[in-house]
Amino acid sequence: MSFGSGIPAVGVDALSAEDFLLDVREADEWAAGHAEGALHIPMSDFVARFGELTEKAPEGAQIKVICRSGGRSAQVTAYLVQQGLDAVNVAGGMQDWEAAGRPVVDGNGAPGTVI
């Protein structure tokens, strides 16, 4: 599956618990609800915080990039691919994640919601 001009993408149904997930939504979206275990680096801070990703991503792991619906994550995925990293956009984003019944937690680890 691809998003836009050849950006690699996968659906939520293709994700496993072992996947490395990068959430690029803003802080209020993250606090309301996110996938447990995801790394949070907002798109607005991404270039400045790029080093956090390279430090925390397991070596050789494919980076699954997610946002609310797939637009912002597609842009970050394109950037990561340009940097030579193995990255894919999660099509449908956290909206599809939540709709598929996958767990969403808030900033305190309690059940959350996608905004």
Side-chain angles (χ1 to χ4, degrees):
M1 178 183 293
S2 67
F3 184 96
S5 56
I7 296 169
V10 296
V12 168
D13 58 336
L15 300 179
S16 72
E18 294 79 35
D19 286 329
F20 182 78
L21 193 62
L22 170 65
D23 190 320
V24 297
R25 297 175 302 144
E26 294 304 315
D28 61 330
E29 295 172 289
W30 170 265
H34 58 271
E36 192 169 14
L39 173 63
H40 179 232
I41 303 176
M43 182 176 164
S44 60
D45 297 339
F46 193 76
V47 174
R49 294 177 58 189
F50 181 74
E52 288 179 46
L53 172 64
T54 58
E55 287 175 13
K56 295 181 180 177
E59 188 168 335
Q62 185 176 62
I63 302 163
K64 309 290 198 296
V65 188
I66 197 165
C67 66
R68 183 173 186 265
S69 61
R72 289 173 284 178
S73 54
Q75 293 176 59
V76 172
T77 299
Y79 176 80
L80 293 174
V81 169
Q82 288 174 346
Q83 303 307 307
L85 298 174
D86 183 7
V88 296
N89 183 35
V90 178
M94 286 300 297
Q95 288 179 324
D96 280 6
W97 178 279
E98 186 175 50
R102 299 234 179 173
V104 177
V105 296
D106 69 12
N108 298 314
T113 188
V114 175
I115 60 168

